Amino acid sequence: LAKNRLLMGRAHVLTGIGGSSKTTLLYHLAMAGVIGRLPWDWVIESTGTALLFLTEDTAQDVHHSLAAMTADLDDGEVELLAERLRVFALAGEDVRLLSLDGQALFENSRGKGLIEKCQQYGDLVFIGLDPALALTEGDEMSQAHQRYLGQFCDKLAIKTGACVVLTTHATKASASAEELTSHQSRGGGGITDA
């Protein structure tokens, strides 16, 4: 999707402390997947349809965010976004894609349905999932559960060919860090290794 930064057909994890604009970055990346550019100098190599699954946003939140972020776009770019950007505002919905059976996670019917829904878009280039915590019944501190979530996201990317970005919250201990790394995500190595 973005030259030397984000791969098509693979999953990526975006980690940050609460309120650090992870969702805003997802909007930017999704919009870039549609219009072919970002407000900074990354080179966008693929364009098409972009999907955002925002589990903490209402429809009103989405409209507010998009109104602010599209104010400087030209009419053609806004029309393209209207055609190719699909935002699913899922606040208040049960959006868990992975369920627990004893200690083991498994992909439930919503997980299978998400993959099927995404595969319906033939020109899909970007899928944003926000945040990881809402998508699974698993324990976010369990390496095994987080690894399974990471594998699910990679499966989604491979089956659709899209660049998938999953947001995760950073550990509380990393709040004072000058710079975050992927291993400061809750679930640490389990999710980032997957």
Side-chain angles (χ1 to χ4, degrees):
L1 181 75
K3 185 176 182 177
N4 298 324
R5 307 228 190 263
L6 296 170
L7 300 173
M8 298 293 293
R10 293 313 303 260
H12 305 75
V13 65
L14 171 64
T15 300
I17 59 173
S20 62
S21 300
K22 296 178 297 294
T23 306
T24 300
L25 180 57
L26 281 187
Y27 273 106
H28 279 294
L29 294 174
M31 290 168 59
V34 173
I35 65 174
R37 69 180 181 89
L38 283 161
W40 55 90
D41 66 352
W42 288 8
V43 175
I44 301 301
E45 296 185 318
S46 301
T47 59
T49 296
L51 308 177
L52 288 174
F53 296 92
L54 307 176
T55 69
E56 297 177 340
D57 289 22
T58 65
Q60 184 177 2
D61 297 330
V62 171
H63 288 290
H64 176 76
S65 294
L66 285 174
M69 296 178 80
T70 58
D72 295 330
L73 300 182
D74 66 41
D75 290 344
E77 290 172 324
V78 172
E79 284 181 32
L80 205 52
L81 287 172
E83 291 172 19
R84 294 185 176 174
L85 175 62
R86 299 287 174 255
V87 183
F88 298 87
L90 300 168
E93 302 291 327
D94 183 357
V95 294
R96 289 172 291 186
L97 308 173
L98 306 176
S99 295
L100 266 177
D101 182 11
Q103 293 296 318
L105 275 179
F106 67 95
E107 183 181 315
N108 62 32
S109 60
R110 282 182 296 276
K112 291 179 174 99
L114 176 71
I115 291 172
E116 290 170 7
K117 175 77 172 170
C118 291
Q119 287 177 314
Q120 293 175 359
Y121 296 92
D123 64 343
L124 188 59
V125 296
F126 183 82
I127 301 169
L129 303 168
D130 180 49
L133 181 61
L135 303 177
T136 178
E137 289 181 358
D139 178 356
E140 70 176 345
M141 299 311 285
S142 164
Q143 295 291 310
H145 290 178
Q146 291 301 294
R147 183 168 183 76
Y148 192 86
L149 175 59
Q151 288 171 327
F152 173 83
C153 292
D154 219 24
K155 175 183 174 180
L156 176 61
I158 291 166
K159 287 191 169 278
T160 62
C163 170
V164 173
V165 177
L166 172 71
T167 67
T168 66
H169 291 101
T171 60
K172 290 185 194 277
S174 61
S176 61
E178 285 186 33
E179 185 174 324
L180 294 179
T181 67
S182 60
H183 286 277
Q184 286 169 305
S185 165
R186 292 186 193 161
I191 196 164
T192 57
D193 291 348

